[in-house]
Amino acid sequence: MSRPDDPTVMATRANARHPLSLDRRRLLGASAGALLAGAATGTLGFGRAVVAQDGGAEFHGGTSFPAPPEGHWNSFVTNAIFPPPHFYGDLIWHPFALYYWGTKEWLPLMGTEWAFIRTGEGTPEAASPAASPAASPASGTPASDSVSVTGLASVEPGADTFQVKLRQGAVWSDGNPFTAKDVVATFWILRLMSNTVWRYLDHVEAVDDYTVNFVMSQPSTVVQRYVLRTSTQSAAIYGEWAAKAEALFTSGKTIDDPEVTQLLDQFNQFRPEQTIATGPFNVDMSTITNAELTLVKNAQAFNAGDVAFDRIRIFRGETDTISPIVLSKEIDYATHGFAPATEKQMIETGIRVVRPPIYSGPALYMNFGKFPQLEDKRVRQAMAMAINRDQNGVISLADSGVGVQYMTGMSDNYVPDWLPEDAISGLNPYPYDLDAAAALLQEAGWTKDGDRWVMADGTPAKFDLTFPAEYADWSAAGQDATEQLNTFGFEVAPRAITYTQQPIDIDRGNFDLAIQAWGSSSNPHPHYSYTQAFYTRNTLAINNGGKGMDFPLQQETDVAGPVDLDQLTVDAADGLDESQQKANITTIAQVFNELLPIIPLFERYGNNAVLEGVRVQPWPPDDDPIYQNSPYADGINTILILTGRLQPV
């Protein structure tokens, strides 16, 4: 990445519009009385120091996950519990590495070295750039030494392959060695799931037991991120499925062929009975209830000795459920979008609040397959100007909800680093302006019947708007957007849907309007924001048997003429020189700004609860660069636990 942000800026953000900017420079996320029976107590700081009855050190977290039987352990498909990348899932199934967003360094885990090399098997990089002075190949330094490696891997001239060396001697929790066999199986499953990494890969091959080549059909810097942040799954569980996928794809079949579709349908129903871990924790299956589960130490992990906690107790629930448990000081860390009133109580009771950027937030989605009248971009532009985004953010999250300014589909924090000034000045900010919005609708052929809008085909502008019931911030955003659109003359009815069902409904086309995510809280490159906009609830809805919002990827634009949004999304990460990607990213940002396939509302900053002095010693200070990590990607708590920087009382 090329974001030279001062790491001290984030945590000291004031009420500025863009608190991370220099020179104008989330995603997702028991009962309150669930207390540890027989806990021994002492005093430390403002809280009561607590250790488990058996003397073991516990860390308590809170997050949402679907409870069994709906929730399951097939980590690749909908309703998986802790599907990677997940800040608790990464403690079970280690990725090759975790990333420090603020310092642009990697923490090696299941990988020890990686580089872009030339093998002659793929498509060579046309520009053949040399590695930048700041870039270097990963060292073999163990993660236990807490030494990270810098940014983008070294790049050989004409590189066509991303090569990863695996950690030798690492074993799974079932005692089997961790090898290239597991990695290759994982990537065949990812191909079955249409994972975007396969837009850049030709094939994946094991060179030997501890070396894997990711041969690229389209060389790209994001291959490094896609690969290194993949949490390899055990071939003991997924090997047979991977072999079936490999046989179909190597015979020339594609995702559109009935044989592959049938295998995908069958795999979506696969439910492993166990988890096999590479990380220092695994799931104690006997602890899983509707309210919580516990992760226990996996002594087989190469870094188990570096982790100071014996157990991680995870309370299940969204904001309404987790808030009282946080306030009762039973949770040491929670990333929920807490309501302003809850945040105030947290602070008053001595619970620390940290505000990492989420690089994402809620957006308004539309069902274009159901309402072709919304395909006229002027309608979407009008809707953007009919919603006061600043108000939407403040109502939802107070200081942690910042109205989107640039409307490019990526975080406002990224825009000055990727777009030139003349392109930025040409962006339409869609200011709140009801008169201008009305003029656009009239230009699109809409009319008024009394105080209600009628669409160009003569039907009333009447819609349901769904949002995840349990997400306090997204629910508030949906309610407020509903009220503002109704004031403007739409007829919108809010519909709260349980958070596990709502995305499935969207994928299957069972919605009118909906609140879902814009941007990317998982990956720090603009390309990923456009996979969210154009793939996640659109072309990838096929994984849930539908077409999602059914937004056509072939579009006519004023700014760039006819465009193929599928190709633009892939090309946003084209090549192995990030400086040369800026032209393509500028184009897709301008196209998004004009078309508004989804309408970003506000950019979320965390108001994460951090409890110190009860079970966990104080966390790093607010100016530590770890707080520039998105908490839903390379987890703040994950890295601090793995590197031993979090210690029990």
Side-chain angles (χ1 to χ4, degrees), residues 438-461:
L440 273 175
L441 287 186
Q442 290 165 348
E443 184 180 319
W446 289 39
T447 58
K448 274 287 190 76
D449 180 6
D451 60 356
R452 293 296 178 197
W453 285 105
V454 176
M455 294 186 284
D457 66 348
T459 59

Side-chain angles (χ1 to χ4, degrees), residues 37-185:
T41 64
T43 59
L44 179 68
F46 59 78
R48 295 167 57 240
V50 176
V51 295
Q53 188 174 17
D54 64 1
E58 288 192 352
F59 179 94
H60 288 191
T63 190
S64 60
F65 59 87
E70 180 183 38
H72 57 81
W73 298 106
N74 181 344
S75 65
F76 295 93
V77 306
T78 301
N79 284 333
I81 301 174
F82 307 150
H86 188 283
F87 53 101
Y88 289 118
D90 286 339
L91 293 170
I92 305 168
W93 310 286
H94 268 345
F96 295 109
L98 289 168
Y99 191 62
Y100 292 92
W101 292 37
T103 60
K104 304 173 183 64
E105 296 174 304
W106 288 96
L107 175 69
L109 293 172
M110 302 315 293
T112 58
E113 300 178 36
W114 48 85
F116 288 98
I117 65 172
R118 179 166 174 77
T119 63
E121 295 184 66
T123 301
E125 167 61 20
S128 300
S132 65
S136 63
S139 72
T141 305
S144 59
D145 288 345
S146 303
V147 175
S148 52
V149 293
T150 302
L152 187 64
S154 63
V155 182
E156 286 185 1
D160 58 9
T161 297
F162 184 63
Q163 184 179 88
V164 178
K165 298 285 189 179
L166 308 184
R167 183 174 295 280
Q168 298 190 33
V171 297
W172 292 93
S173 56
D174 64 356
N176 285 319
F178 171 82
T179 69
K181 178 182 178 181
D182 302 296
V183 176
V184 173

Side-chain angles (χ1 to χ4, degrees), residues 3 10 13 19-20 26-29 87 101 225 333-338 354-362 397 399-402 409-414 473-474 517-525 528-529 532 602-609 626-636:
R3 292 190 65 229
M10 184 283 307
R13 62 182 290 275
L20 276 183
R26 172 192 229 290
L27 180 52
L28 303 177
F87 53 101
W101 292 37
R225 175 74 187 178
Y333 180 65
T335 64
H336 300 63
F338 294 105
V354 297
R355 301 190 192 275
I358 309 299
Y359 307 98
S360 178
L397 280 174
D399 288 351
S400 291
V402 181
M410 69 171 107
S411 169
D412 281 347
N413 293 296
Y414 293 161
D473 53 339
W474 284 16
W518 66 267
S520 175
S521 59
S522 299
N523 296 286
H525 187 289
Y528 296 94
S529 297
Q532 174 67 38
F602 65 83
E603 182 155 2
R604 182 187 161 199
Y605 290 79
N607 55 355
N608 299 355
I626 190 64
Y627 297 118
Q628 289 192 43
N629 277 32
S630 166
Y632 301 112
D634 304 80
I636 296 168

Side-chain angles (χ1 to χ4, degrees), residues 180-196:
K181 178 182 178 181
D182 302 296
V183 176
V184 173
T186 295
F187 275 83
W188 279 116
I189 299 295
L190 291 176
R191 185 165 181 180
L192 179 65
M193 300 304 298
S194 300
N195 188 280
T196 308

Side-chain angles (χ1 to χ4, degrees), residues 22 27 51 87 186 219 284 301 340 369 371 383 391 421 426 558 570 597:
L22 291 179
L27 180 52
V51 295
F87 53 101
T186 295
D284 182 345
F371 296 99
M383 294 170 73
Q391 171 184 307
E421 285 296 331
D558 298 330
V570 175

Side-chain angles (χ1 to χ4, degrees), residues 277-302:
T278 50
F281 291 96
N282 204 351
V283 183
D284 182 345
M285 295 294 178
S286 69
T287 66
I288 302 174
T289 70
N290 285 334
E292 63 180 272
L293 61 77
T294 298
L295 307 183
V296 293
K297 184 69 76 71
N298 167 30
Q300 300 270 36
F302 76 91

